[in-house]
Amino acid sequence: MGQTPVWFPTQAEAEQTRLYQLMRRLGFADYDAFHKRSVDDVAWFWEAAVRDMGIVWTRDYDRVVDLAPGIARPSWFVGGRLNIARSALDRWLADPAAAASPALIWEGEDGATRRLTYAELAEQTDLAAEGFRRLGVAAGYRAAVYMPMLPETVVALLALAKLGAVAVPVYSGYRADAAAKRLAGAGCTLIVTADGFYRHGKAVLLKPEADAAADAAGCASRTIVVRRLGAAVPWRPERDVDWAALTDGGGGSRAAAEAVPMDSGDPLMLLYTSGTTGAPKGIVHTHSGFPLKAAFDAGYAMDVKPGDVMLWITDMGWMMGPFLLYGTLLNGAAMVLYEGAPNHPGPGRLFGLAARHGVTHLGLSPTLVRSLMPHGDACFRGYDLSALRVIGSTGEPWNPEPWLWLFRAAGSGRIPIVNYSGGTEISGGILGNVLLKPISPAGFNAALPGMDADVFTEAGAPARGEVGELVLRRPWVGMAAGFWGEPRRYEETYWSRWPDIWVHGDWARLDADGYWAITGRSDDTLNVAGKRLGPAEMESALVAHPRVAEAAVVGVPDEAKGEAAVCFAVAAGPAPDAAEAPQLEAALAAWVADRLGKAFKPKAVHLVGALPRTRNAKVMRRVVRAAYLGQNPGDLSALENPEAAEAIRRLGAGTSAGPGTEEEPGGGESGEWRG
């Protein structure tokens, strides 16, 4: 693959990382040797990780893992009892310095800010837990958290965890229909929501959507409402409860709410993912699963330490929202929540946030970087980023040019970019950039500790230097504990292709030097006349053209080749006029063929004003393809700009490619991240 590293850790920098220090305590100085032991003996590794993180157990476990039910159904920390809220909050209160340190920093799009120490967050969590308890919430109850990124969102999730209830985070950008599917699927009896929030300088009302979702789902008897905007919203006294009343302590003296001890395998959260067809999948995560994997990856792969400050541009309904929560609190660090659009009111908002709040770890998506890149140093000029140590990236494959711009221009060649790929059902990452090894643009330098990753050919043999299926050979802490109410669907989705092998659904490549690349979702991959190519490779070729700002590539049926590539490009600089556009489209097709080979010349290149994207700035290829072919695009509620999909549909209607009636096969996510 020929990846050339551009960031190199010094020996002193490497030895200061938590990962290196853990390795040395366990008798290792070489990462590859440590990784091999971590996957050869998963019980040894995960016990060492949990002990090093200081997880608090009400009753210690008898065994780290029981594989008797099969590799797809392991039982972790057998016999153990815990409540993850004790490890995330309560344990820090015994140390006055830790109790007084920041736990949560919030900035609204309108510039409002709030800060909570660990002691203050614990107090707010206890008040909310007692309020929920008065409403009858108890262990096993499912409660939806349909909220923007507010302090109360975190408080609600922690309070529900304390009671042993099952939280169901729902993306705040969903409309009522999409939210209702998740409420009904989980059987939520309670919804926590807000009157609204700010986005792109506008007030967005959320309470009416929550009401409609509750009505459609038919299972929620209570709606808790946080007054973010102070806006007039519909109110139903028989169902609605003001957050302020819920957390007023009930008029009596306040005592700390006791965390309910839970079995290690008891559910903590249901995180929903959605493919192109079928009902959304409710991924079951446990008290000893998701939080531990997320915290380990944050603490050891990204080197989050007590006192650090992490900002991730995300939503609590996406996997990286709960990752931010548990990745910071279980490591004694602070999270930064940002309510609005990361480019409002201008391109400097993101790095301004980082500078204002002393962010040490900044998480973003490649598409967000691509959207900022045309603004140049206006994005970061004048901001003090000296505290920033690590930039994290999830969401989709990189193109080298925006990666290098972020590294060299915004990061001054100083800050490592930890590319991080996994998924909602992983509870974190499979591949990453550990800070003990050189990092190359757009790729990964390692499988993460405990993750026995490989790349398989179609025949199920290991592949080297060629694209294949990303798989996992052994179980890990944090792996999905199944789909809520759908055990067979879970096994069919991940375990049915090869015996005892997790098939993740990503195309990957591993070279002889140990560098990895993700080329896209395996259901996105182009198969042109029997030749496979990840869409990211063709998109990288397109954005290397000076007249292309960003691009998306999809495969469409073709009589001659079986499948052909159709490209959608957003022009850099002035939009081409009617005379220039066809010439530029033809030039771009030739440009791609010149760089990738004539066999991969696109069937068509279309210039568009925008690509369909989520609020996290992730481009939705499945929507692009379905719109162009006139097919059912599935759930569009996550889209920030549905008009972009409509424009692509009109393009397809004018070609031989569309319209069509066939539905796309399942797979992929409308969420924020898939490496």
Side-chain angles (χ1 to χ4, degrees), residues 114 116 119-129 155 159 243 247:
R114 290 165 61 189
L116 294 175
E120 290 165 338
L121 180 58
E123 180 180 16
Q124 292 298 313
T125 297
D126 287 343
L127 287 169
V155 170
W243 176 269
T247 58

Side-chain angles (χ1 to χ4, degrees), residues 23-110:
M23 286 168 44
R24 293 299 292 166
R25 284 193 290 275
L26 297 174
F28 292 86
D30 175 71
Y31 178 78
D32 292 337
F34 171 69
H35 180 269
K36 185 177 187 304
R37 177 73 192 277
S38 79
V39 298
D40 286 348
D41 190 346
V42 293
W44 167 84
F45 167 70
W46 287 109
E47 177 162 48
V50 164
R51 297 298 183 191
D52 206 62
M53 288 190 287
I55 300 303
V56 179
W57 299 87
T58 306
R59 180 191 184 279
D60 208 353
Y61 46 87
D62 303 314
R63 299 176 60 188
V64 175
V65 62
D66 178 7
L67 295 178
I71 191 173
R73 297 281 182 183
S75 296
W76 291 96
F77 306 108
V78 180
R81 289 178 69 78
L82 78 165
N83 186 301
I84 202 60
R86 288 188 64 197
S87 294
L89 272 183
D90 297 346
R91 66 162 160 155
W92 304 111
L93 305 184
D95 178 352
S101 66
L104 187 154
I105 303 165
W106 173 78
E107 182 168 312
E109 195 184 69
D110 59 352

Side-chain angles (χ1 to χ4, degrees), residues 655-673:
T655 73
S656 59
T661 56
E662 176 193 7
E663 285 200 352
E664 227 181 330
E669 287 190 70
S670 63
E672 70 184 346
W673 92 313

Side-chain angles (χ1 to χ4, degrees), residues 164-506:
V166 183
V168 185
V170 177
Y171 171 51
S172 62
Y174 277 142
R175 299 297 300 271
D177 287 350
K181 290 177 184 176
R182 289 148 178 83
L183 301 182
C188 293
T189 56
L190 179 144
I191 305 171
V192 184
T193 191
D195 55 0
F197 54 93
Y198 290 107
R199 183 82 181 170
H200 291 298
K202 298 178 181 178
V204 179
L205 294 182
L206 186 58
K207 173 64 160 54
E209 296 295 329
D211 285 342
D215 291 342
C219 53
S221 58
R222 292 285 187 180
T223 301
I224 314 300
V225 185
V226 175
R227 300 284 192 171
R228 159 64 177 123
L229 301 177
V233 291
W235 198 261
R236 304 185 191 181
E238 74 282 3
R239 185 167 75 186
D240 296 341
V241 178
D242 193 296
W243 176 269
L246 179 87
T247 58
D248 68 357
S253 60
R254 191 195 76 80
E258 288 296 322
V260 176
M262 307 297 292
D263 287 342
S264 295
D266 282 340
L268 167 72
M269 289 186 298
L270 303 183
L271 294 180
Y272 274 86
T273 69
S274 48
T276 55
T277 61
K281 305 184 291 284
I283 308 293
V284 180
H285 287 300
T286 67
H287 278 255
S288 68
F290 183 103
L292 306 190
K293 168 63 172 166
F296 180 86
D297 286 2
Y300 298 83
M302 300 181 190
D303 202 41
V304 173
K305 302 173 181 177
D308 281 347
V309 180
M310 176 182 273
L311 163 65
W312 212 286
I313 301 300
T314 186
D315 185 274
M316 207 56 72
W318 298 146
M319 179 261 166
M320 291 308 294
F323 174 94
L324 174 65
L325 190 161
Y326 288 109
T328 53
L329 297 185
L330 286 173
N331 286 304
M335 72 188 84
V336 177
L337 305 184
Y338 175 58
E339 171 190 48
N343 58 354
H344 182 85
R349 186 63 182 257
L350 176 65
F351 291 103
L353 277 163
R356 281 190 293 279
H357 302 300
V359 169
T360 59
H361 293 70
L362 172 63
L364 40 70
S365 69
T367 301
L368 175 56
V369 175
R370 285 191 284 267
S371 71
L372 295 176
M373 187 176 166
H375 298 282
D377 67 359
C379 300
F380 51 82
R381 184 176 59 242
Y383 294 120
D384 179 5
L385 300 177
S386 58
L388 190 58
R389 295 203 326 270
V390 172
I391 295 175
S393 162
T394 61
E396 57 196 320
W398 277 97
N399 312 114
E401 290 79 9
W403 192 101
L404 286 166
W405 175 83
L406 179 65
F407 177 70
R408 290 172 175 164
S412 303
R414 172 183 68 86
I415 303 168
I417 298 175
V418 175
N419 207 11
Y420 184 60
S421 182
T424 304
E425 57 280 81
I426 302 296
S427 298
I430 299 172
L431 306 177
N433 282 325
V434 296
L435 301 177
L436 309 181
K437 290 185 165 192
I439 295 174
S440 61
F444 306 85
N445 65 14
L448 294 176
M451 306 305 289
D452 191 10
D454 206 341
V455 179
F456 274 14
T457 66
E458 281 195 344
R464 295 297 178 266
E466 62 179 290
V467 172
E469 287 276 4
L470 179 63
V471 301
L472 289 159
R473 297 175 180 272
R474 288 179 175 84
W476 64 96
V477 163
M479 64 185 285
F483 294 166
W484 185 257
E486 298 182 286
R488 181 172 296 180
R489 187 183 181 195
Y490 164 70
E491 291 170 5
E492 289 173 351
T493 299
Y494 300 112
W495 297 100
S496 60
R497 186 163 179 185
W498 294 296
D500 291 339
I501 295 291
W502 172 287
V503 179
H504 191 58
D506 280 344

Side-chain angles (χ1 to χ4, degrees), residues 124-134 159-160 162-163 257:
Q124 292 298 313
T125 297
D126 287 343
L127 287 169
E130 288 303 321
F132 287 143
R133 199 193 307 273
R134 291 196 302 271
L160 292 168
K162 266 203 156 182
L163 297 177

Side-chain angles (χ1 to χ4, degrees), residues 605-628:
V605 176
H606 295 288
L607 292 169
V608 294
L611 299 172
R613 67 182 71 247
T614 67
R615 188 186 295 171
N616 305 60
K618 178 179 177 179
V619 173
M620 300 292 287
R621 289 192 194 93
R622 70 164 179 85
V623 172
V624 171
R625 183 179 188 274
Y628 189 69

